[in-house]
Amino acid sequence: MTQTENVPVTKETPFVPIEKIVSLAKRRGFVYPNSEIYGGVSGIYDFGPLGVELRNNIRRYWWWSMVQLNDNIVGIEGAIITHPRVWEASGHVENFVDRLVECKNCKRRFRIDHLPEENLLQNKCPNCGGELMEPRTFNLMMETYIGVIEGERMKTYLRGEACQNIYLDYDNVLKSSRMQIPFGICQIGKAFRNEVTPGNFLFRQREFEQWDLQFFVHPGEMQKWFDYWKERRFEWYKGIINHRDRLRLRAHGPDELAHYAKQAFDIEYQSILGWQEWEGIHWRQDWDLSRHSQFSGQDLSYTDPNTKERFIPWIVETSGGVDRTFLNLLLDAYEEEPGEDGKEGRTVLHLNPMLAPVKVAVLPLQKNKEELVNTAKDIYNRLKRLMVAQYDDVANIGRRYRRQDEIGTPYCVTVDFDTLQDSTVTVRERDTMSQIRLPISELPAYLLERVTWH
Ligand code: GAP
């Protein structure tokens, strides 16, 4: 399946309450609260058996489309901990702060720049009307220490954004690969922020994962490449969702732009949380490489091998979140379908088949018929080598279909008494619930064509 062929949702579906996603995610093993038996830690989550499959698919698909398909892009994987000077050069130590006020009554905290003017003027809590304390400054960087001897330990930080490794390794990549400008470096990796107001499930966490492209260009070609990546990334997101009308590009206003940025765009998705950023397309100019040159004393300029022109490359950044993708895909895919003619309804995840955590379930019609079970297990054992598959013989067939619908499994293969006669099986498709009959020998090719990207 190509990225533009996923299932279109034609009927108007309402926004899904976040609680429904949280509940399904825990019940079916997608996401668990971290350290739950100790009461949990706000803004930190673990991923369960299905969550890890979905997450891996999301990551691999991004990597495939960004690194594997583009001859002028390579990937790296940098460490979470770096030299502390990195975060001075990046400006995080100085500027990665939130100014907050706390309510004396309900103890809730609010960013000053998010507080309605009326509340700011009256010093009144927007939640309970209580009195607000003096504003305080919170640094979002998570501190850690390298070394074991007290007094000699070096304070540093868990990276506040994954992209810094790319600037640090830029020169090594240039020297160790045959890349020439324009070229890009990609990375997927964890980032850590002491978010003061974590919340909305995976939306704003303290430990999360980012995917970045840093694309290095000649200053004279910046606008061309900025426009190119803005469009490419927007189309990419459009290709993995059903509700395409819930995606938009929003230009940053002048007050949102970094001082070096001529423009910036957010790719936003609309859900019960409103329009929210999914990925940022940033005009970083020569800011990052110039700062690291200045702070490290290393020359990070580039010499064009043809013209011999020397310059600091300018950078187009596309920076998105793996966790936001995970959450938005669930919000986008979730549907509660009412049953028709008095029949029981179903909950279904209309996930794009290439991203769905389980691709196929193999179900014998009855579990007390040895021949059915043996044939089904044989098919399952063959399919699981090619794709993530499940075998299920517990409960009636309708209930088993619904169990798979709820986790987004695009295909169910049923082994029945006809199978024993003619070696064909029923293949049921998740969204339409339509069924076809197929020879067992044709199953692998039929499924692979539909559940893998190519
Ligand atoms: N290097 C640029 C950068 O870090 P950002 O807008 O702060 O830019 C990029 O982050 C993406 O990372 C966001 O679009 C979002 O998808 C994700 N992200 C940022 N903070 C997050 C958080 N606290 N929890 C989950 N995802 C987050």
Side-chain angles (χ1 to χ4, degrees):
M1 164 158 293
T2 64
Q3 61 165 319
T4 48
E5 287 171 38
N6 58 322
V7 188
V9 170
T10 45
K11 51 187 176 293
E12 200 39 55
T13 38
F15 294 132
V16 187
I18 206 98
E19 296 74 27
K20 294 213 179 207
I21 301 295
V22 176
S23 158
L24 178 123
K26 185 167 177 209
R27 186 160 34 84
R28 299 307 312 270
F30 284 88
V31 185
Y32 310 126
N34 172 273
S35 318
E36 196 180 13
I37 58 171
Y38 290 100
V41 186
S42 162
I44 303 188
Y45 290 91
D46 289 348
F47 291 83
L50 291 182
V52 86
E53 295 295 343
L54 176 57
R55 223 176 146 75
N56 282 341
N57 292 343
I58 292 171
R59 284 199 201 104
R60 281 194 208 117
Y61 180 57
W62 183 87
W63 196 265
W64 176 82
S65 34
M66 298 297 283
V67 181
Q68 198 170 328
L69 291 193
N70 290 300
D71 297 339
N72 57 355
I73 294 182
V74 289
I76 61 157
E77 187 167 320
I80 282 166
I81 297 173
T82 56
H83 195 286
R85 288 277 283 164
V86 171
W87 304 102
E88 290 168 29
S90 70
H92 280 75
V93 172
E94 198 183 339
N95 302 319
F96 205 42
V97 292
D98 274 350
R99 292 274 293 161
L100 299 171
V101 282
E102 187 173 310
C103 172
K104 286 185 180 169
N105 183 40
C106 70
K107 308 290 177 212
R108 280 187 60 176
R109 288 173 180 163
F110 305 92
R111 273 174 59 171
I112 292 213
D113 54 343
H114 288 179
L115 210 60
E117 204 178 331
E118 178 195 332
N119 296 77
L120 198 59
L121 291 173
Q122 298 174 2
N123 204 29
K124 200 170 88 180
C125 172
N127 182 45
C128 71
E131 194 188 339
L132 298 172
M133 292 183 196
E134 280 298 302
R136 284 184 293 168
T137 301
F138 290 76
N139 195 300
L140 306 191
M141 294 297 288
M142 277 198 195
E143 293 174 6
T144 188
Y145 294 85
I146 300 174
V148 287
I149 301 171
E150 207 56 55
E152 291 179 15
R153 302 197 313 160
M154 177 165 76
K155 181 174 127 184
T156 184
Y157 305 91
L158 304 184
R159 63 185 176 199
E161 58 176 7
C163 66
Q164 290 298 326
N165 296 83
I166 299 182
Y167 314 133
L168 303 177
D169 289 336
Y170 148 83
D171 200 41
N172 280 329
V173 170
L174 259 186
K175 287 177 179 149
S176 59
S177 65
R178 287 181 296 132
M179 288 291 139
Q180 285 181 15
I181 276 175
F183 81 102
I185 304 180
C186 276
Q187 184 186 225
I188 300 179
K190 290 268 191 176
F192 301 81
R193 292 180 190 174
N194 261 322
E195 296 281 4
V196 191
T197 50
N200 285 324
F201 194 35
L202 305 179
F203 183 78
R204 179 160 289 108
Q205 297 173 83
R206 289 180 161 137
E207 172 178 338
F208 56 97
E209 197 165 43
Q210 295 182 309
W211 47 40
D212 285 293
L213 161 69
Q214 306 292 323
F215 199 75
F216 301 87
V217 302
H218 185 281
E221 293 203 313
M222 182 70 180
Q223 188 70 56
K224 179 181 100 180
W225 286 110
F226 185 85
D227 294 342
Y228 174 83
W229 282 112
K230 183 184 79 182
E231 292 310 319
R232 279 282 300 272
R233 295 302 300 145
F234 186 68
E235 289 304 314
W236 189 86
Y237 283 106
K238 229 162 93 185
I240 56 170
I241 57 172
N242 300 314
H243 298 280
R244 290 174 186 167
D245 55 329
R246 294 182 186 169
L247 199 70
R248 74 174 184 193
L249 265 168
R250 185 185 68 80
H252 283 203
D255 53 332
E256 292 174 276
L257 287 175
H259 64 89
Y260 49 79
K262 183 173 152 198
Q263 49 186 322
F265 283 83
D266 283 346
I267 297 174
E268 295 187 334
Y269 182 75
Q270 190 187 28
S271 70
I272 196 84
L273 307 175
W275 284 103
Q276 295 289 353
E277 176 187 341
W278 192 344
E279 172 159 313
I281 316 296
H282 303 135
W283 179 294
R284 293 191 80 123
Q285 208 154 303
D286 61 348
W287 166 256
D288 306 282
L289 292 183
S290 295
R291 288 281 287 191
H292 284 301
S293 281
Q294 187 191 332
F295 276 68
S296 67
Q298 303 288 319
D299 178 10
L300 296 178
S301 62
Y302 173 82
T303 305
D304 187 299
N306 302 316
T307 64
K308 307 294 175 218
E309 184 190 358
R310 214 166 131 218
F311 59 94
I312 296 269
W314 284 23
I315 294 176
V316 181
E317 171 185 69
T318 73
S319 181
V322 176
D323 305 270
R324 281 205 193 159
T325 304
F326 190 103
L327 174 62
N328 286 348
L329 287 181
L330 292 181
L331 287 165
D332 189 76
Y334 185 98
E335 193 184 8
E336 288 176 5
E337 279 182 8
E340 281 170 15
D341 306 326
K343 288 195 192 130
E344 202 184 325
R346 64 173 187 154
T347 298
V348 52
L349 284 186
H350 297 284
L351 285 171
N352 189 314
M354 65 185 182
L355 300 178
V358 178
K359 308 300 187 192
V360 61
V362 184
L363 321 170
L365 191 62
Q366 292 176 10
K367 81 172 196 182
N368 52 0
K369 292 279 182 288
E370 202 181 333
E371 276 179 290
L372 292 183
V373 167
N374 288 344
T375 308
K377 283 193 173 159
D378 187 46
I379 295 172
Y380 164 69
N381 283 328
R382 271 188 275 161
L383 289 179
K384 77 179 183 190
R385 301 175 71 88
L386 304 172
M387 63 195 78
V388 177
Q390 281 190 354
Y391 171 84
D392 187 6
D393 60 13
V394 179
N396 70 47
I397 197 77
R399 193 158 293 275
R400 280 182 275 163
Y401 283 152
R402 281 195 293 282
R403 266 209 292 266
Q404 295 298 329
D405 291 340
E406 202 186 32
I407 61 169
T409 307
Y411 294 98
C412 287
V413 169
T414 308
V415 174
D416 57 22
F417 292 101
D418 287 344
T419 311
L420 305 179
Q421 305 303 319
D422 61 7
S423 294
T424 65
V425 286
T426 298
V427 181
R428 171 198 183 260
E429 197 273 331
R430 175 196 66 201
D431 297 319
T432 57
M433 292 189 277
S434 61
Q435 303 193 356
I436 58 163
R437 206 74 200 168
L438 215 62
I440 294 172
S441 59
E442 289 178 23
L443 261 182
Y446 180 88
L447 292 171
L448 281 174
E449 173 67 20
R450 287 161 178 78
V451 301
T452 52
W453 51 81
H454 40 265

